[in-house]
Amino acid sequence: MKLFHSPASPYVRKVVVLLHELDKTDAVLLETVATTAFASDEGLKAANPLGKLPALQRDDGVTLYDSRVITGYLDAHFGGGMYPQGAGRWENLTLEATGDGIMDASVSMSYEKRLRPENEQSDGWVEAQWGKVSRTLDVLNARWMSHLSGPLSMAHISVGCALSYLDFRHDARNWRDGNDALAAWHKEFDSRASMQATQPPAA
């Protein structure tokens, strides 16, 4: 299998962290592509008409895309057990979606400042996206710590990669301020070998 890959993408990182946790990194070839929302890589567009990362080309030629589809497939394919089916299933799926939502808002902020011409940038848009992130961090810190303290699942990986992306692109926002429990959890999670092996390049 082949994964269209960019080391700076938090969505791609979710997939690669999962492969590390399952000890299956040798089963998937990483094909690094240089792509942006305004200039998608041609090979990536051929695999995924949306031109978005990540995209997983399976051995039968069928390409899967959207990080949650890919992680769900890989977990099932390798029997990873990262998607609990019993008690807590829906909470875990919601928590994974919460981490992905933080990525959505924070990546949108990055695109606005890094890709759009300065005279076209909207500070109001950026602050609206940060408002989503900030509210979500507060809720994670107040209501979800018991779930984050449970057995490892894709929910943990999603939230961990989302918080690390905030460090990567939005460190000046100081997301840890007022979120002590979440910050302590992330410090421990970020020390995992899978997270250390998938750190993005310097911003």
Side-chain angles (χ1 to χ4, degrees), residues 39-85:
S40 296
D41 176 82
E42 291 300 321
L44 176 61
K45 286 194 293 184
N48 173 5
L50 297 172
K52 297 174 67 176
L53 292 169
L56 178 72
Q57 191 171 71
R58 300 189 305 186
D59 293 335
D60 59 8
V62 177
T63 300
L64 304 180
Y65 41 88
D66 185 274
S67 63
R68 272 179 277 184
V69 174
I70 294 171
T71 55
Y73 170 77
L74 290 173
D75 185 64
H77 183 71
F78 293 124
M82 292 290 186
Y83 285 94
Q85 298 300 304

Side-chain angles (χ1 to χ4, degrees), residues 69-177:
V69 174
I70 294 171
T71 55
Y73 170 77
L74 290 173
D75 185 64
H77 183 71
F78 293 124
M82 292 290 186
Y83 285 94
Q85 298 300 304
R89 176 188 179 193
W90 299 112
E91 289 81 1
N92 271 287
L93 290 174
T94 299
L95 189 54
E96 181 186 6
T98 301
D100 286 6
I102 293 174
M103 294 181 201
D104 292 344
S106 54
V107 167
S108 181
M109 292 169 64
S110 295
Y111 283 173
E112 188 73 10
K113 291 297 187 181
R114 295 173 66 87
L115 299 181
R116 291 173 66 87
E118 187 173 356
N119 65 324
E120 295 180 8
Q121 294 175 11
S122 169
D123 290 338
W125 173 261
V126 170
E127 292 309 315
Q129 300 313 302
W130 181 251
K132 297 176 185 180
V133 173
S134 182
R135 289 193 304 272
T136 304
L137 295 174
D138 290 345
V139 170
L140 285 173
N141 190 72
R143 303 179 191 172
W144 285 95
M145 294 313 303
S146 61
H147 289 81
L148 288 172
S149 298
L152 181 68
S153 72
M154 275 310 304
H156 298 76
I157 293 173
S158 176
V159 172
C161 289
L163 298 179
S164 291
Y165 185 78
L166 295 180
D167 288 336
F168 177 51
R169 291 296 195 206
H170 306 293
D171 188 51
R173 296 279 181 168
N174 192 20
W175 67 264
R176 292 172 177 79
D177 186 28

